[in-house]
Amino acid sequence: MQDDVKVNGTSKSGDLDEQALFFHRYPRPGKLEIQPTKPLGNQRDLALAYSPGVAAPCLAIRDDPNTAADYTARSNLVAVISNGTAVLGLGNIGPLASKPVMEGKAVLFKKFAGIDVFDIEIDANEIDRMVSTISALEPTFGGINLEDIKSPECFEVERQLREKMNIPVFHDDQHGTAIIVAAAILNGLELAGKNIAEVKIVASGAGAAALACLNLLVSLGARKENIWVHDIEGLVYLGRETLMDQWKAIYCQESDKRSLDESIEGADVFLGLSAAGVLKPELLAKMAEKPLIMALANPTPEIMPQLAREARPDAMICTGRSDFPNQVNNVICFPYIFRGALDCGARTINEEMKMAAVQAIAALAREEVSDVAARAYSGETPVFGPDYLIPSPFDPRLILRIAPAVAKAAAETGVASRPIQDFDAYLDQLNRFVWRSGFVMKPIFSAAKSAEKNRVIFAEGEDERVLRAAQVLLEDRTARPILIGRPSVIEARLKRFGIRIRPNVDFEVVNPEDDPRYRDYVDDYFSLVGRAGVNPEAARTVVRTNTTVIGALAVRRGEADALICGVEGRFDKHLRDVNQIIGKRTGVHAFSGMSLLISQRGAIFFTDTFVTYNPSAAEIAEMTILAAQEIRRFGITPKAALISHSNFGSRHSESAAKMREALALLREQAPELEVDGEMQGGSALSEPLRKRAMPDSTLTGEANLLVFPNLDAANISLGIVRTMMDALHVGPILLGAALPAHILSTSVTSRGVVNMAALAVVEASQG
C-alpha cells in the first residue's frame, strides 16, 4: 500500500487503483502462466515427456528420492501459501481475495532469483487444518513460503510445519523483515560505535514481524532485559494478562512503566512495526545519542523521516518506503535465501542460515560500489553511512552475496542434502542469472528521477497513449512532460479516459494553433530549411501543422530537453524533420535505430532496426559503436555479434564480406569493445555452438547486441522474436542525433512511451 500521493494537489490513489485493475486484467488476467521447459515437437518428444518414457524417472525417484532434484522441477519450485487472514494492510480479506498478492509474490521470486512458484490460497483458519493441508504438499515443492497469515496462529503453524516437513518452511512476514531489520541495526550500531549486547531496544508492535525481529536480534547478541515491547495495551510487563501469548511473554519486563513515553528514555533503537504517528517528535529527545529509528509502519511510518531529522539531527532512520533512504523491503532477502536453500537441497532454513543472510546484507552495504551497481542508486555511488545502512532492493549484487552465504551455512550446519562443491562455478551461474534477470530499465528510471534536464516534449500530445504516459511520468517524478496539442482536445480526452492530471497545471501544453512563439519558430525553421526548397509561406504552414517540427524546434531552442514523436505517422517523415532541425551528432555520418527486447530470457539489443536499408561496412561499424555507448547507460557491458548467414567465413557472399570488413573497422576504431563476426544467429546466442565453429572467438558468453547486415534482416528478426517470446519492446532508440530525440513506432504502448521518455531524460542529463 502507498500514501495518497498528490501531483499538484491532485490525488493519485484513484488513478493508481484504476491502473492496477487494468494491469491485472489485460492483455490476459493475472500475472502468471506455466510454460514447458522441454520441446514437444514430435511423437518421440511426447513419448519421452509422458508415457512410456516418463516411467524411467518415476522409478529412479522411487528407488532414490534425492533424484527428484535431477528429474523434476521440484528443486526450483516454491509454494507461496496464504489463508488471507492478514493481507498487507487490508486485514482478513480471505484466501480468494489474497490471490493477487500471492501471484505478485510469485513474480518477485521469479524475477529476482529465477525461482518458480505455485501460489496456493487455502480456505483454512484453524491451525490443525492449515498444518495438515500444507504438510501434505511436501512431495511437490522444494520449499514453502508462508504469507499473510495472522498472528499468533502463524507462529504455531510454522513451528509445526518445520517439525513435520523435510523442506524449508519460511514465514516471510516474520523472518524476511527480521533479517533486513537486523542487518540495518548491525550497521547502525557500528556507525554509532555501540555494542548490540549493551543497547536498549524499544519496540512498538508485538505482531509476527516485530517478535521475529526481536528474536533474531537476541540471536545476534541483544539481551532480553534490554528489550521493551509495546502493543495496543501498552508495555508488555510481568503479570499482564490482557492480549498476552507465549511468544510475546518472553519479553515481559518487571517494571511499573506502562507507556512508550516512559520506557523510551535512553533507548538506542526504536523498532516500529505498529501504526502511523506512534512516535512523537518530543519522544526522540529522550533517546540516547545517535539513535536508530526503524519506523516501518506502512504506508505511513511511526514518524516521518523529516520530522525525526528536525527533532534529532543525529538520528539514523529506516522506513518501509521506497521514497526515503534505507528502505526495509523483504525482497532484499527472501528470493536469495530460498535460492541458496534450494540450490544446496536444504531441509530447513535454520538460525545460522538467517544470520548468514543478515551478515551478508550488512557487509554488502559496507562494500565499495562498482559502477554497474551504482546504477541501481540513481547513478550516484552510495557510501556507507546514516543514509545507506542497507542496500537497494535492486542492487544486482544481493543474489551474489546472500545465496552463497546461505548455502554455506546450510552445509556447515548439516542441513544441506546437496552441498555445493564448487562455489566459484556457483557464483558464475548466479552472475549469468543477474545479467538475464531483466531489470534492465531500473537504472534508467533511477537516473531519470535525479536528472535536472527532464523536460520531454511529446509531438502527439493528444494521443491517449501519450496522455496516459504523461500521468505515469508525473506521478513517478520521472520527467516533466510538455504536450503539443489543442488544449480543448487534450482536456476532453483526459476527461474521457478518466485521467486526472491537468493541462497547464500539472504539465505544459503547446498549442500549435495559438502559441506566442509562433513567429520565432517560423524564423528558426526557415533559417534551417530555406535553401532546401521550402519558401516562407510553406514554413509558416509547416510550423502551424507539423507537431514533430514544433517539438524539434523546442529542443533546439533549449525550451525542452528531449523530443518523443512517431506515435502517429510514418517513421521516415519524422526522421526527415529530426534530421533537418536537430541534426546529427558531431562526427556521426548516419542515423541508426536500435531496439531493446526484454523477455524471460533477459535483455537483447538489435540494430539497425528502423533507419538504414543497406548500410555500408563503415556505417555498420559506426552504428555498433553508437549502440555500445547507449547500452552502457543501462549498466550493461555490450557484447556485439555481427550477424550473417555466413558463419566465420563459411559463405562468401557480398553481405558476409561486408560484415567481415565491419569487424576489421571495429577492431581498429573500438578495440575495447567485445565483438566478433561474421556469425549466424545461433552462434551469437550459444557459446558452445560458436566455439564449435570458431574456438578462438573473441566473443564470450551470449551476445547482447545483434548487429544485422541490412534493415530487412534486423526488422524482421525483431518482429518475429518479439512476438514469439512475448517480449517487451523498448525503442526504437535513435542513435546519432545531436540532441535527445526518439521516433517511436505506431504500435507503441503507453508503457513503451514511458520507457523511452525516461531514456531520453537520461540522455539529456548525461550528454
Side-chain angles (χ1 to χ4, degrees):
M1 303 294 289
Q2 296 185 7
D3 270 345
D4 187 7
V5 180
K6 296 185 177 181
V7 178
N8 289 339
T10 301
S11 168
K12 84 167 188 178
S13 61
D15 289 343
L16 184 64
D17 289 345
E18 291 175 12
Q19 293 172 33
L21 290 173
F22 185 89
F23 176 86
H24 281 78
R25 187 172 184 179
Y26 299 102
R28 53 190 294 188
K31 300 188 283 280
L32 298 172
E33 67 177 4
I34 295 175
Q35 293 188 5
T37 59
K38 299 293 191 294
L40 298 172
N42 54 45
Q43 185 61 40
R44 182 166 182 80
D45 289 343
L46 293 174
L48 293 171
Y50 199 53
S51 181
V54 75
C58 289
L59 294 174
I61 294 169
R62 180 200 62 185
D63 296 337
D64 181 0
N66 288 328
T67 60
D70 300 318
Y71 300 128
T72 75
R74 183 175 185 261
S75 63
N76 195 51
L77 187 61
V78 166
V80 171
I81 302 179
S82 179
N83 65 355
T85 52
V87 181
L88 299 176
L90 305 175
N92 187 354
I93 61 175
L96 182 60
S98 76
K99 189 170 181 65
V101 178
M102 302 313 126
E103 285 190 356
K105 191 67 176 277
V107 170
L108 295 179
F109 266 109
K110 185 67 175 179
K111 198 71 173 175
F112 282 91
I115 295 171
D116 295 317
V117 167
F118 291 161
D119 66 290
I120 299 177
E121 295 74 33
I122 58 174
D123 187 8
N125 290 335
E126 303 81 10
I127 291 174
D128 290 346
R129 189 176 177 196
M130 279 190 275
V131 170
S132 174
T133 302
I134 296 169
S135 62
L137 298 171
E138 181 170 349
T140 302
F141 297 101
I144 303 290
N145 182 96
L146 301 177
E147 193 77 14
D148 293 348
I149 300 171
K150 73 181 182 71
S151 173
E153 288 89 337
C154 60
F155 300 117
E156 186 63 19
V157 168
E158 185 187 43
R159 185 189 68 78
Q160 291 191 28
L161 288 173
R162 285 167 62 92
E163 290 179 357
K164 290 173 68 75
M165 303 182 77
N166 205 33
I167 58 174
V169 177
F170 188 82
H171 186 204
D172 184 47
D173 297 330
Q174 293 182 60
H175 309 300
T177 303
I179 287 165
I180 309 306
V181 165
I185 288 177
L186 287 183
N187 279 344
L189 295 180
E190 178 175 317
L191 287 172
K194 299 177 181 180
N195 187 329
I196 191 170
E198 299 170 356
V199 297
K200 179 178 180 180
I201 301 169
V202 175
S204 174
L211 293 177
C213 290
L214 297 174
N215 293 341
L216 187 55
L217 290 172
V218 169
S219 296
L220 289 165
R223 303 213 307 260
K224 290 180 183 177
E225 58 265 32
N226 293 338
I227 297 174
W228 298 67
V229 179
H230 300 75
D231 60 12
I232 58 174
E233 287 292 320
L235 181 70
V236 174
Y237 61 89
L238 195 64
R240 190 181 119 176
E241 297 181 357
T242 307
L243 289 180
M244 290 297 293
D245 55 55
Q246 66 187 81
W247 300 279
K248 195 185 300 183
I250 64 175
Y251 292 105
C252 284
Q253 285 281 0
E254 188 172 357
S255 173
D256 58 358
K257 297 177 181 179
R258 296 293 182 265
S259 69
L260 183 63
D261 184 22
E262 294 174 296
S263 61
I264 203 168
E265 183 76 38
D268 300 282
V269 178
F270 171 81
L271 174 61
L273 283 150
S274 52
V278 166
L279 184 61
K280 306 300 181 185
E282 56 268 23
L283 298 186
L284 296 184
K286 300 182 177 184
M287 295 185 71
E289 182 184 359
K290 296 181 180 178
L292 178 58
I293 300 167
M294 312 293 295
L296 307 181
N298 264 323
T300 306
E302 285 80 2
I303 187 170
M304 294 299 288
Q306 57 267 35
L307 290 177
R309 285 261 187 249
E310 290 171 6
R312 288 296 298 265
D314 62 334
M316 293 170 279
I317 307 160
C318 299
T319 71
R321 293 170 48 138
S322 61
D323 51 346
F324 295 111
N326 294 324
Q327 183 195 13
V328 174
N329 187 329
N330 288 17
V331 81
I332 289 175
C333 72
F334 75 79
Y336 315 122
I337 290 172
F338 269 96
R339 181 72 279 157
L342 292 172
D343 290 341
C344 70
R347 292 182 288 271
T348 186
I349 294 174
N350 57 28
E351 286 300 301
E352 291 82 359
M353 293 162 73
K354 288 188 284 184
M355 286 192 283
V358 171
Q359 298 292 351
I361 294 166
L364 179 56
R366 299 192 295 266
E367 282 187 30
E368 183 177 343
V369 178
S370 67
D371 291 341
V372 172
R375 293 179 183 271
Y377 300 87
S378 303
E380 301 175 0
T381 303
V383 177
F384 178 54
D387 288 333
Y388 182 56
L389 298 175
I390 43 179
S392 160
F394 292 95
D395 193 315
R397 301 168 297 169
L398 283 165
I399 193 172
L400 305 177
R401 303 295 186 273
I402 299 173
V406 168
K408 284 180 181 177
E412 290 168 358
T413 54
V415 299
S417 63
R418 302 186 308 276
I420 292 170
Q421 303 299 322
D422 186 342
F423 272 92
D424 289 337
Y426 183 52
L427 278 170
D428 183 60
Q429 175 186 330
L430 294 175
N431 259 307
R432 290 199 301 272
F433 171 77
V434 169
W435 180 79
R436 293 172 61 166
S437 60
F439 280 104
V440 180
M441 291 302 297
K442 175 60 183 176
I444 297 298
F445 279 98
S446 295
K449 287 182 180 181
S450 62
E452 294 183 3
K453 294 183 177 181
N454 62 357
R455 299 167 301 166
V456 180
I457 191 164
F458 294 88
E460 295 88 6
E462 298 174 1
D463 189 280
E464 176 187 358
R465 293 164 291 178
V466 172
L467 295 172
R468 293 192 181 279
Q471 176 179 257
V472 173
L473 293 167
L474 284 165
E475 289 175 354
D476 293 345
R477 299 178 178 88
T478 303
R480 290 163 52 198
I482 303 169
L483 272 54
I484 303 174
R486 296 160 293 179
S488 60
V489 174
I490 290 175
E491 287 188 20
R493 292 184 178 178
L494 289 172
K495 184 176 180 180
R496 183 198 310 170
F497 303 133
I499 302 172
R500 294 182 177 85
I501 55 175
R502 296 165 296 173
N504 293 317
V505 176
D506 297 318
F507 62 92
E508 181 183 343
V509 175
V510 175
N511 183 0
E513 296 179 343
D514 183 20
D515 190 281
R517 298 165 294 187
Y518 171 68
R519 292 182 182 277
D520 293 335
Y521 274 38
V522 171
D523 290 344
D524 288 346
Y525 181 60
F526 184 71
S527 70
L528 294 168
V529 301
R531 294 183 179 274
V534 179
N535 60 39
E537 183 61 33
R540 285 191 287 271
T541 301
V542 168
V543 173
R544 184 76 75 190
T545 59
N546 188 322
T547 56
T548 296
V549 167
I550 296 170
L553 287 168
V555 172
R556 183 182 175 91
R557 289 164 54 91
E559 296 164 356
D561 299 309
L563 167 68
I564 299 292
C565 61
V567 176
E568 300 169 2
R570 286 173 47 182
F571 186 95
D572 56 345
K573 289 187 176 180
H574 291 288
L575 182 62
R576 175 202 62 198
D577 296 331
V578 169
N579 187 29
Q580 287 180 332
I581 299 167
I582 291 177
K584 302 180 189 70
R585 191 188 313 169
T586 302
V588 172
H589 299 90
F591 290 110
S592 56
M594 179 173 70
S595 290
L596 163 62
L597 290 185
I598 305 173
S599 70
Q600 291 294 337
R601 183 182 175 88
I604 190 163
F605 296 83
F606 294 66
T607 197
D608 171 12
T609 51
F610 275 86
V611 179
T612 306
Y613 292 100
N614 188 23
S616 66
E619 288 171 329
I620 288 171
E622 180 180 76
M623 72 174 65
T624 303
I625 293 170
L626 292 173
Q629 292 170 353
E630 193 73 18
I631 290 170
R632 291 188 181 100
R633 296 188 197 276
F634 293 82
I636 296 173
T637 300
K639 293 172 176 280
L642 306 184
I643 304 300
S644 173
H645 67 286
S646 172
N647 211 29
F648 299 104
S650 64
R651 304 286 291 273
H652 299 288
S653 66
E654 183 179 341
S655 68
K658 177 172 69 174
M659 300 308 276
R660 286 195 288 274
E661 183 183 349
L663 177 65
L665 292 171
L666 282 167
R667 287 181 168 160
E668 177 185 336
Q669 297 170 14
E672 77 289 351
L673 178 63
E674 188 172 332
V675 59
D676 207 347
E678 83 286 8
M679 70 180 75
Q680 295 172 353
S683 296
L685 300 178
S686 170
E687 188 169 36
L689 284 178
R690 185 168 61 253
K691 292 294 187 184
R692 193 177 304 160
M694 181 56 59
D696 61 349
S697 172
T698 53
L699 184 64
T700 60
E702 296 181 8
N704 55 22
L705 171 59
L706 304 183
V707 182
F708 292 87
N710 57 55
L711 185 61
D712 280 344
N715 194 274
I716 292 169
S717 298
L718 174 71
I720 292 173
V721 173
R722 177 184 180 183
T723 303
M724 290 183 66
M725 300 188 68
D726 193 22
L728 170 66
H729 177 218
V730 179
I733 302 167
L734 187 62
L735 304 176
L739 297 168
H742 294 290
I743 306 164
L744 309 187
S745 65
T746 55
S747 62
V748 71
T749 63
S750 60
R751 181 185 182 189
V753 176
V754 170
N755 286 334
M756 289 306 300
L759 180 59
V761 167
V762 173
E763 291 174 340
S765 299
Q766 296 180 355

